[in-house]
Amino acid sequence: MDEPEPLTPVVVRSLMEGAERYRSLFTHNPHAVFSLDLQGSYTDVNLATQEMTGYTPAEMRGMSYRDVIAPGEVERVAAEFAAVLAGEPRRLETCIRHKDGALVEIALVGLPVVIEGDVVGVHGLAEDISLRTRTSRELLEAREAADAANVAKSLFVANMSHELRTPLTTIVATAELLEDTGLTELQARFVQGMLRGGKRLARLIEDILDISRIEAGVLTLQPAPFDPHLLLYDVCSWAREQATRKGLRFDLVVDPGLCRGLVGDTLRLQQILTNLLDNAVKFTEHGFVELSARSAAAAPGATTLHIGVRDSGVGVPSELCQSIFDPFSQADPSATRRHEGAGLGLAICRELVDLMDGELSLTSALGHGTDVSLAFTLPTASAPTG
């Protein structure tokens, strides 16, 4: 057999430089780097491993990883070690016990050392994640506490319904009775002011209670068969009167093929449409407000009801078309104050549409009106009679 050619000085120097680079990377790596033999005993560790475990490199050489891993984690880590010996790199998060007894949470990577197809050892890389995991737990606990407090607040407000409504209803009813008692002109103006303020406050309380009930998860739907035509006409009888008072044209556009029987919560559907139409009339000074409806077959036994509310009003800046549905969000606070709004109407619409698994979209441009589209896929039903 031929003798192997001797290594040249250049090759020897290159090998030495490569070994030195590896040794430098191993020794000075900011993460804990170590090597294990096939039995799981440490054969080499760097200084960062000493900082993480509290053991000196001399103490760790010959120790088993089982002596460092926290007792409750030994079996799980042993299974991962066996997988690495089978040639499969592994990642896991576990705990070790520091020399002083403290537990340290680490993120660990185990890599097989393979020579000529055989696994001859394991390289490990570990990072102390105790601070990160503790911070994550604290943030999660704080979030859970905040969520619990928010739910408690929402439940409290939702449960205050009777206590809030009863005295306000009494005030408004008393003012209405007082209005019919032969008042002087000055007294009549005072009573009218009380009624306007009371009714405005009643609307605001209703909106706040609705938002609170939705947030607390106590608002439930009451589906029942209904005729979409009757729903639209009921809503229009109110909206047309509001539009006429402002000198606006009100249009109802109903597709001739609109279905006659669906199953849904008409009270909540009416609330959505009333809020949208109230908003359209409120922010339209000249022109028109339009309500349109059509239906289309969906899955067997279901129909998609499409409803649109369109106006020629002041419009909404395009960048605010989505945030306008957030609670207490107002595209123009000064305009909203003029129209006695609180920024809750559209937020309630969004929440109710989501509760009904519907779709809501808004397109608008400042000074060019607004177009709101709704879609609800509802079970079909026989047309209600009577």
Side-chain angles (χ1 to χ4, degrees):
M1 181 180 291
D2 295 335
E3 292 288 332
E5 293 185 7
L7 298 176
T8 65
V10 173
V11 173
V12 171
R13 180 179 178 84
S14 178
L15 291 173
M16 292 176 62
E17 287 180 353
E20 182 57 33
R21 288 194 188 97
Y22 169 77
R23 172 51 56 182
S24 179
L25 179 63
F26 181 92
T27 302
H28 301 293
N29 196 303
H31 296 107
V33 183
F34 52 88
S35 299
L36 302 170
D37 61 21
L38 297 177
Q39 287 70 48
S41 297
Y42 292 99
T43 58
D44 203 0
V45 299
N46 69 349
L47 295 176
T49 306
Q50 176 180 338
E51 294 177 8
M52 180 181 289
T53 65
Y55 295 98
T56 66
E59 290 174 317
M60 292 199 72
R61 290 188 184 95
M63 285 178 60
S64 171
Y65 72 85
R66 295 175 177 82
D67 299 326
V68 180
I69 296 296
E73 291 285 290
V74 172
E75 288 187 12
R76 187 167 73 93
V77 175
E80 298 295 315
F81 181 73
V84 177
L85 291 182
E88 183 181 350
R90 306 294 284 183
R91 296 173 180 268
L92 71 152
E93 293 184 1
T94 185
C95 286
I96 63 171
R97 187 174 293 281
H98 192 273
K99 186 178 181 180
D100 64 10
L103 290 178
V104 180
E105 297 179 82
I106 63 170
L108 178 63
V109 177
L111 303 170
V113 180
V114 182
I115 297 179
E116 295 183 352
D118 296 324
V119 176
V120 298
V122 172
H123 280 324
L125 180 69
E127 177 187 5
D128 185 346
I129 59 170
S130 300
L131 177 60
R132 187 174 74 198
T133 54
R134 183 168 64 251
T135 302
S136 178
R137 282 195 299 269
E138 290 172 352
L139 288 173
L140 179 60
E141 290 170 359
R143 178 176 178 177
E144 290 174 347
D147 288 344
N150 188 53
V151 170
K153 177 267 299 178
S154 297
L155 283 170
F156 172 76
V157 176
N159 291 333
M160 288 293 290
S161 173
H162 179 73
E163 287 74 10
L164 289 169
R165 283 194 182 98
T166 300
L168 182 58
T169 301
T170 302
I171 292 170
V172 172
T174 302
E176 288 175 341
L177 292 172
L178 185 60
E179 193 176 26
D180 297 329
T181 59
L183 304 175
T184 66
E185 183 179 347
L186 179 61
Q187 291 171 332
R189 286 204 304 270
F190 288 158
V191 171
Q192 283 296 321
M194 290 171 58
L195 285 172
R196 283 195 302 272
K199 291 176 180 179
R200 179 184 175 188
L201 182 57
R203 289 196 301 271
L204 178 59
I205 288 175
E206 286 293 334
D207 287 346
I208 292 173
L209 290 174
D210 277 340
I211 286 288
S212 298
R213 283 193 293 263
I214 292 170
E215 288 180 347
V218 297
L219 190 149
T220 57
L221 300 176
Q222 303 293 328
F226 73 98
D227 184 344
H229 294 76
L230 298 179
L231 169 69
L232 294 170
Y233 295 144
D234 285 345
V235 172
C236 283
S237 64
W238 168 85
R240 181 173 282 110
E241 180 182 348
Q242 305 302 311
T244 302
R245 286 180 182 175
K246 291 190 66 174
L248 304 175
R249 189 180 84 246
F250 184 87
D251 299 323
L252 174 61
V253 181
V254 179
D255 185 87
L258 180 67
C259 62
R260 303 294 309 199
L262 292 173
V263 177
D265 190 325
T266 53
L267 178 64
R268 297 305 172 186
L269 284 169
Q270 190 173 52
Q271 184 177 3
I272 292 168
L273 296 181
T274 300
N275 275 341
L276 292 176
L277 288 168
D278 181 55
N279 220 52
V281 172
K282 189 183 297 182
F283 292 99
T284 301
E285 298 300 329
H286 308 284
F288 69 92
V289 173
E290 178 188 281
L291 175 65
S292 61
R294 61 183 178 85
S295 60
T303 297
T304 301
L305 177 64
H306 297 274
I307 300 177
V309 175
R310 192 163 64 96
D311 65 65
S312 59
V314 297
V316 178
S318 56
E319 65 272 16
L320 297 180
C321 283
Q322 293 306 313
S323 63
I324 197 76
F325 293 105
D326 295 338
F328 304 103
S329 174
Q330 301 170 349
D332 181 355
S334 62
T336 307
R337 282 195 298 272
R338 289 198 306 273
H339 296 289
E340 300 184 347
L344 286 175
L346 291 181
I348 291 172
C349 288
R350 164 65 74 190
E351 296 288 355
L352 290 176
V353 169
D354 289 346
L355 189 64
M356 300 170 72
D357 294 325
E359 297 178 5
L360 184 153
S361 62
L362 181 147
T363 56
S364 184
L366 203 58
H368 295 281
T370 301
D371 191 345
V372 181
S373 297
L374 298 162
F376 301 96
T377 299
L378 303 169
T380 54
S382 301
T385 59

